[in-house]
């Protein structure tokens, strides 16, 4: 095996970055010391700053020549470090995802960032910044192939080597390819595979005998109409941070603009509205603009992030690509999938759409705590069918918790609603505000909130998986195959014990549990919780036995 280096442009970009940092540090250091120590002159900055720049450039160049990586039969090896040397060996069996990221400038220059994610925790295991386009594709393909070779059995039960199942390279129009390979094409142009399960197991090699790479079999493509609907029917938390950034750097302009709008609403007359009225109008105008700007930023962010989204299958991996300004492509090994989750919000439910994500044990820059979007936005029946085929679960019939749980939520939300009422009353004791009773209106939201919380809970204990539904504003329907369960436990709080209720927690190895709670069946009767616990434990053992015998595998239905 021969070692490889990063692209030469990596040395150039890194040298510029570290040089600027080195020069800036020396400039600010001299500036601070000159104000504290009389012996230090400000003019020293014009000498030391270029010296800091050269030191940074020299370190970057040394780092480039000291950074090496190598693909072996069993591991991906990286050696790096200038003053402190670090050698890493990443076993292919631990690799969760291999992502390739390209910005606009990177695409023009023909370079990319390759990120390797493992089940190791809260950061990417390795990042190659930068390599050429061809090298990024080669690494992604080779790591994916060797990871799949570690995960799948060497030979099937019929004695045929899976790697021997070769097909001709794919060429031409993707939709025509889907049709020729036995897949139907939906009205939106995205193919749906209708082949028998045995032929749907795509175990072809990564390249043809002549070295031509196979094109992944397309499973889903986000069309422009769906992308626009997704952008308008979703909300990104990052948009709030963007609003804060815009406000921070344009505070004077923002305040002046909001005051001008307020004056226009109040007719710009001091007699047209007193100070309390003007303050109320200003607050209303500020909130309305904040909501509008945040929503607009969210629309733009979603559109740019998921432009051109495609999902396919190559061998034992799901492969995807997306993005307009910054292009992402990556792979999700089917063997690493821990659970499948259908997501929606009230707007998406209203128009009959939903999304689908898969949970892995990996964590990286293109994943949300181990969560990867497999189908960002599709009609709900289609997303449900995709989830059923991916996980092997039969169509679920949900059971709801007992109505005692709804009464519990009513009391809980009533106690929460008391907080703003008490706060409003306390405000009357220290200010001129007297209309504290207006806050009582919050109690009107308590009954519908308790009902909606209860109505959107559900669970289904199937033959192949447990399906758990929860949430209203952001509803999730999690499908957890039994063989992916790490632990299943019954939990009871002091209030649940008084009501004879319990919750069943299903824990997997997915990293999404670092950011969100485990899938949980909330507030069912204690006998039912114990029955689910025992059933889940027994079927877990049966599923593990079936997998040991090679008769169960996630993704067989795709």
């Amino acid at each position: 095996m021969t070692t490889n280096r990063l692209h030469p442009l990596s040395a150039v970009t890194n040298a510029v970055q570290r040089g600027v940092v080195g020069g800036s540090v020396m400039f600010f250091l001299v500036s601070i010391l000159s104000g504290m120590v009389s012996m230090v002159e400000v003019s020293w900055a014009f000498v030391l700053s270029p010296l800091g720049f050269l030191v940074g450039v020299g370190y970057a160049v040394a780092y480039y020549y000291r950074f090496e990586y190598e693909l072996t039969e069993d591991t991906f090896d990286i050696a790096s470090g200038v003053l402190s040397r670090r050698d890493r060996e990443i076993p292919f069996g631990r690799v969760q995802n291999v992502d390739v990221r390209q910005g606009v400038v990177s695409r023009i220059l023909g370079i990319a960032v390759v990120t390797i994610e493992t089940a190791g925790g809260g950061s990417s295991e390795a990042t190659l910044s930068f390599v050429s386009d061809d090298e990024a594709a080669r690494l992604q393909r080779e790591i994916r192939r060797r990871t799949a070779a570690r995960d799948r059995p060497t030979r099937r039960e019929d004695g045929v080597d899976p790697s021997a199942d070769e097909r001709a390279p794919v060429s031409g129009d993707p939709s025509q390819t889907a049709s020729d390979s036995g897949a139907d094409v939906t009205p939106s142009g995205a193919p749906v595979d209708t082949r028998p399960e045995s032929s749907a197991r795509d175990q072809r090699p990564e390249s043809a005998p002549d070295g031509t790479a196979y094109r992944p079999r397309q499973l889903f493509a986000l069309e422009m109409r769906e992308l626009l609907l997704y952008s308008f029917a979703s909300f990104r938390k990052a948009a709030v941070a963007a609003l804060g950034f815009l406000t921070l750097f344009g505070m004077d302009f923002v305040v002046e603009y909001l005051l001008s709008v307020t004056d226009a609403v109040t007719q710009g007359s001091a007699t047209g509205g007193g100070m309390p009225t003007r303050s109320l109008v200003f607050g209303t105008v500020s909130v309305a603009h904040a909501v509008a700007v945040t929503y607009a930023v969210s629309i733009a962010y979603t559109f740019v992030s998921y432009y051109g989204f495609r999902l396919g299958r190559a061998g034992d991996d799901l492969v995807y690509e997306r993005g307009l300004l910054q292009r992402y492509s990556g792979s999700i090994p089917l063997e690493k999938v821990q659970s499948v989750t259908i997501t929606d919000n009230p707007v998406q439910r209203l128009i009959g759409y939903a999304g689908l994500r898969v949970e892995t044990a990996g964590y990286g820059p293109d994943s949300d705590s181990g969560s990867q979007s497999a189908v960002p936005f599709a009609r709900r029946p289609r997303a449900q069918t995709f989830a059923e085929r991916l996980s092997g679960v039969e169509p679920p019939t949900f059971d709801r918790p007992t109505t005692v749980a709804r009464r519990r939520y009513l009391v809980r939300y009533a106690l929460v609603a008391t907080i703003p009422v008490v706060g409003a009353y306390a405000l009357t004791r220290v200010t001129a505000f007297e209309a504290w009773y207006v806050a009582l209106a919050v109690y009107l939201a308590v009954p519908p909130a308790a009902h909606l919380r209860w109505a959107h809970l559900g669970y289904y204990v199937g033959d192949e998986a447990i399906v758990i539904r929860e949430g209203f504003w952001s509803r999730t329907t999690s499908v957890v195959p039994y063989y992916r369960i790490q632990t299943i436990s019954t939990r009871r709080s002091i209030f649940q014990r008084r009501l004879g209720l319990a919750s069943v927690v299903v824990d997997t190895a997915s990293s999404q549990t670092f950011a969100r709670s485990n899938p949980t069946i909330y507030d069912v009767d204690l006998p039912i919780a114990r029955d689910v616990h025992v059933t889940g434990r027994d079927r877990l053992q049966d599923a593990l036995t079936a997998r040991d015998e090679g008769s169960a595998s996630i993704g067989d239905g795709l």
Side-chain angles (χ1 to χ4, degrees):
M1 296 288 179
T2 58
T3 57
N4 302 273
R5 298 190 187 279
L6 300 175
H7 195 279
L9 284 177
S10 175
V12 176
T13 57
N14 198 21
V16 173
Q17 292 175 357
R18 291 186 179 272
V20 171
V21 171
S24 301
V25 168
M26 295 304 299
F27 178 83
F28 286 111
L29 183 61
V30 171
S31 299
I32 294 173
L33 290 178
S34 64
M36 300 173 57
V37 182
S38 59
M39 296 179 59
V40 178
E41 300 290 340
V42 177
S43 59
W44 291 10
F46 297 100
V47 176
L48 295 179
S49 292
L51 180 61
F53 181 85
L54 293 177
V55 170
V57 170
Y59 183 88
V61 173
Y63 182 85
Y64 169 77
Y65 282 105
R66 297 277 286 173
F67 190 102
E68 298 175 337
Y69 63 91
E70 177 185 2
L71 274 173
T72 69
E73 289 300 322
D74 301 312
T75 61
F76 182 75
D77 300 342
I78 296 178
S80 62
V82 178
L83 302 178
S84 178
R85 195 69 172 164
R86 182 186 181 190
D87 296 324
R88 284 170 289 171
E89 294 183 354
I90 306 173
F92 291 122
R94 288 184 56 229
V95 174
Q96 303 290 325
N97 308 315
V98 181
D99 292 333
V100 177
R101 186 171 70 252
Q102 287 184 293
V104 176
V105 177
S106 299
R107 292 205 296 271
I108 295 174
L109 297 176
I111 57 179
V113 177
V114 178
T115 303
I116 300 174
E117 303 170 17
T118 69
S123 62
S124 298
E125 186 70 23
T127 300
L128 305 182
S129 177
F130 299 91
V131 296
S132 66
D133 288 343
D134 293 340
E135 178 67 359
R138 183 188 75 87
L139 289 174
Q140 191 177 55
R141 181 176 63 251
E142 287 298 314
I143 294 175
R144 192 168 63 209
R145 179 180 64 82
R146 300 183 192 195
T147 299
R150 297 297 180 276
D151 293 334
R152 72 161 71 99
T154 304
R155 303 182 70 84
R156 296 198 295 254
E157 290 183 2
D158 57 5
V160 179
D161 187 350
S163 63
D165 183 18
E166 297 184 356
R167 300 177 185 175
V170 176
S171 60
D173 181 67
S175 62
Q176 182 65 36
T177 301
S179 177
D180 293 342
S181 63
D184 292 337
V185 179
T186 66
S188 63
V192 176
D193 191 8
T194 58
R195 293 176 295 169
E197 180 178 329
S198 58
S199 63
R201 300 183 183 182
D202 188 6
Q203 295 178 329
R204 64 189 178 190
E206 294 293 334
S207 59
D210 61 359
T212 304
Y214 285 109
R215 179 180 299 170
R217 178 165 54 87
Q218 183 169 290
L219 301 175
F220 177 83
L222 190 62
E223 302 299 325
M224 183 58 67
R225 175 178 175 274
E226 295 172 327
L227 176 60
L228 291 173
L229 282 174
Y230 184 41
S231 300
F232 280 91
S234 304
F235 179 76
R236 300 291 165 183
K237 297 178 182 178
V240 179
L243 177 66
F245 178 83
L246 294 174
T247 304
L248 178 64
F249 287 92
M251 179 64 72
D252 294 339
F253 172 78
V254 171
V255 173
E256 184 178 350
Y257 170 76
L258 293 176
L259 286 175
S260 65
V261 174
T262 301
D263 291 337
V265 172
T266 58
Q267 302 300 322
S269 172
T271 59
M275 182 60 67
T277 301
R278 190 169 188 270
S279 299
L280 180 62
V281 172
F282 179 80
T284 304
V285 168
S286 300
V287 171
H289 278 76
V291 171
V293 172
T294 304
Y295 182 55
V297 172
S298 175
I299 293 173
Y301 179 84
T302 303
F303 183 89
V304 169
S305 298
Y306 286 91
Y307 179 86
F309 183 95
R310 291 181 178 84
L311 178 73
R313 178 169 181 174
D316 293 324
D317 292 350
L318 296 176
V319 294
Y320 66 92
E321 59 178 19
R322 65 177 177 87
L324 179 61
L325 300 179
Q326 189 161 357
R327 194 68 179 169
Y328 293 92
S329 66
S331 59
I332 308 171
L334 285 169
E335 186 62 27
K336 307 298 183 182
V337 173
Q338 303 294 314
S339 61
V340 181
T341 303
I342 298 174
T343 62
D344 56 44
N345 58 40
V347 175
Q348 293 171 353
R349 291 197 294 271
L350 181 64
I351 62 178
Y353 278 80
L356 179 73
R357 67 170 185 252
V358 294
E359 313 290 350
T360 68
Y363 186 101
D366 191 34
S367 63
D368 178 16
S369 301
S371 175
Q372 297 275 3
S373 180
V375 176
F377 197 68
R379 292 196 177 277
R380 186 168 186 84
R382 187 178 175 198
Q384 291 174 332
T385 301
F386 196 100
E388 292 163 5
R389 293 172 59 186
L390 180 59
S391 62
V393 69
E394 61 274 18
T397 302
F398 289 102
D399 294 319
R400 284 202 186 109
T402 174
T403 54
V404 175
R406 181 166 53 186
R407 295 202 299 269
R408 183 188 178 210
Y409 303 147
L410 185 66
V411 174
R412 178 193 297 177
Y413 294 156
L415 293 175
V416 173
T418 302
I419 297 176
V421 174
V422 173
Y425 181 77
L427 192 63
T428 63
R429 314 302 296 178
V430 296
T431 66
F433 179 75
E434 297 181 356
W436 66 270
Y437 46 84
V438 175
L440 294 174
V442 73
Y443 284 112
L444 297 177
V446 170
H451 175 75
L452 291 174
R453 158 76 171 168
W454 173 81
H456 286 271
L457 292 176
Y459 64 94
Y460 172 72
V461 183
D463 296 331
E464 303 294 336
I466 290 181
V467 185
I468 301 174
R469 185 180 66 193
E470 58 181 294
F472 171 72
W473 295 110
S474 179
R475 190 173 68 176
T476 60
T477 304
S478 301
V479 182
V480 185
Y482 288 113
Y483 66 87
R484 286 305 189 192
I485 295 177
Q486 297 290 312
T487 59
I488 182 168
S489 58
T490 302
R491 299 180 184 177
R492 305 180 70 196
S493 68
I494 184 173
F495 302 103
Q496 287 177 313
R497 288 198 294 269
R498 290 178 59 87
L499 297 173
L501 303 177
S503 297
V504 181
V505 181
V506 180
D507 185 20
T508 69
S510 172
S511 296
Q512 66 95 13
T513 56
F514 290 111
R516 298 184 293 272
S517 61
N518 290 303
T520 303
I521 303 174
Y522 288 102
D523 297 317
V524 294
D525 288 325
L526 181 58
I528 295 177
R530 288 173 173 169
D531 182 63
V532 171
H533 187 165
V534 173
T535 302
R537 184 183 59 196
D538 293 342
R539 292 183 181 176
L540 167 62
Q541 298 303 320
D542 295 340
L544 291 176
T545 301
R547 280 183 60 80
D548 290 339
E549 296 173 352
S551 59
S553 180
I554 196 166
D556 284 348
L558 293 179

